[in-house]
């Protein structure tokens, strides 16, 4: 597994895009809305990995809930895998719990699943596989 991206919950993409463009010395390479997740994303290349800024697009978005409880900041780590179904089976055998085992469409041409943070030391972990 490689660290594919770090998801950061932000209140305003407008404000945080300006901040991250200054910080990283480059513009976001992609903005994408993922309605089912209730988020709008903005991606930055960072070496072999990426930063994914996440703004809530509706009140019941996981990002709104997270910001209300913990404030802005690191929301999840995403690991890239070659075969997401195989990894789900492997990790289930290891005792990890998934929020949902069925891969769904994420941003940036990926299929994604999430492990529950209660089984990963309080860190929300996403697995993602490039869509064929
Ligand atoms: C753009 C698409 C995609 C991509 O392609 O990259 C994304 O990244 S989408 C990102 C947004 N989507 C998600 O986060 C989906 C997965 N998350 C969830 O299903 C939920 O947020 C959750 C993790 C199951 C929590 O939901 P819920 O139980 O309704 O919320 P609570 O506020 O009651 O939290 C329960 C419990 O979990 C802790 N928590 C919540 N979020 C996180 C987090 N990001 N990291 C760590 N811990 C988290 C929360 O603090 C609660 O803990 P306790 O208070 O100790 O009970
Ligand atoms: Co993500």
């Amino acid at each position: 597994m490689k660290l594919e991206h770090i998801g950061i919950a932000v209140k305003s993409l407008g404000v945080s895009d300006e901040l991250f463009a200054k910080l990283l010395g480059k513009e976001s390479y992609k903005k994408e809305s993922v309605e089912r997740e209730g988020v709008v994303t903005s991606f930055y290349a960072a070496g072999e990995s990426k930063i994914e800024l996440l703004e809530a697009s509706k009140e019941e978005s996981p990002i709104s809930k997270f910001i209300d409880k913990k404030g802005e900041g690191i929301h999840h780590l995403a690991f890239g895998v070659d075969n997401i179904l195989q990894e789900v089976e492997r990790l289930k055998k290891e005792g990890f719990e998934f929020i949902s085992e069925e891969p769904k469409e994420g941003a940036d041409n990926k299929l994604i699943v999430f492990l529950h943070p209660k089984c990963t030391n309080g860190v929300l972990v996403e697995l993602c596989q490039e869509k064929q």
Side-chain angles (χ1 to χ4, degrees):
M1 283 192 204
K2 63 165 191 165
L3 184 61
E4 213 278 337
H5 65 262
I6 297 176
I8 299 179
V10 303
K11 288 181 186 165
S12 159
L13 270 190
V15 171
S16 296
D17 261 333
E18 208 171 301
L19 177 76
F20 274 81
K22 271 189 214 154
L23 180 69
L24 298 171
K26 58 183 137 192
E27 298 296 319
S28 157
Y29 71 85
K30 185 184 227 179
K31 290 189 176 56
E32 187 177 344
S33 173
V34 182
E35 190 47 41
R36 194 175 38 188
E37 291 298 319
V39 297
V40 186
T41 61
S42 179
F43 283 95
Y44 293 83
E48 295 195 354
S49 192
K50 300 167 188 167
I51 303 293
E52 177 188 69
L53 301 184
L54 297 146
E55 182 193 79
S57 60
K58 51 187 176 191
E59 214 174 297
E60 63 275 24
S61 166
I63 300 303
S64 314
K65 220 170 171 185
F66 180 86
I67 289 179
D68 286 349
K69 275 194 171 172
K70 302 189 183 192
E72 293 179 296
I74 294 181
H75 177 261
H76 64 271
L77 300 182
F79 293 102
V81 299
D82 293 331
N83 186 324
I84 198 162
L85 293 174
Q86 263 177 24
E87 279 304 315
V88 169
E89 286 312 310
R90 183 182 75 77
L91 292 170
K92 268 165 57 184
K93 282 188 192 131
E94 295 286 0
F96 291 95
E97 275 179 46
F98 285 82
I99 292 166
S100 163
E101 292 171 19
E102 186 67 33
K104 52 188 176 176
E105 286 198 19
D108 218 16
N109 199 42
K110 297 283 189 301
L111 290 174
I112 62 170
V113 290
F114 285 91
L115 285 87
H116 202 286
K118 73 182 176 194
C119 72
T120 45
N121 278 176
V123 177
L124 179 62
V125 172
E126 172 188 333
L127 302 182
C128 55
Q129 177 199 310
E130 201 77 38
K131 268 198 293 185
Q132 306 301 322

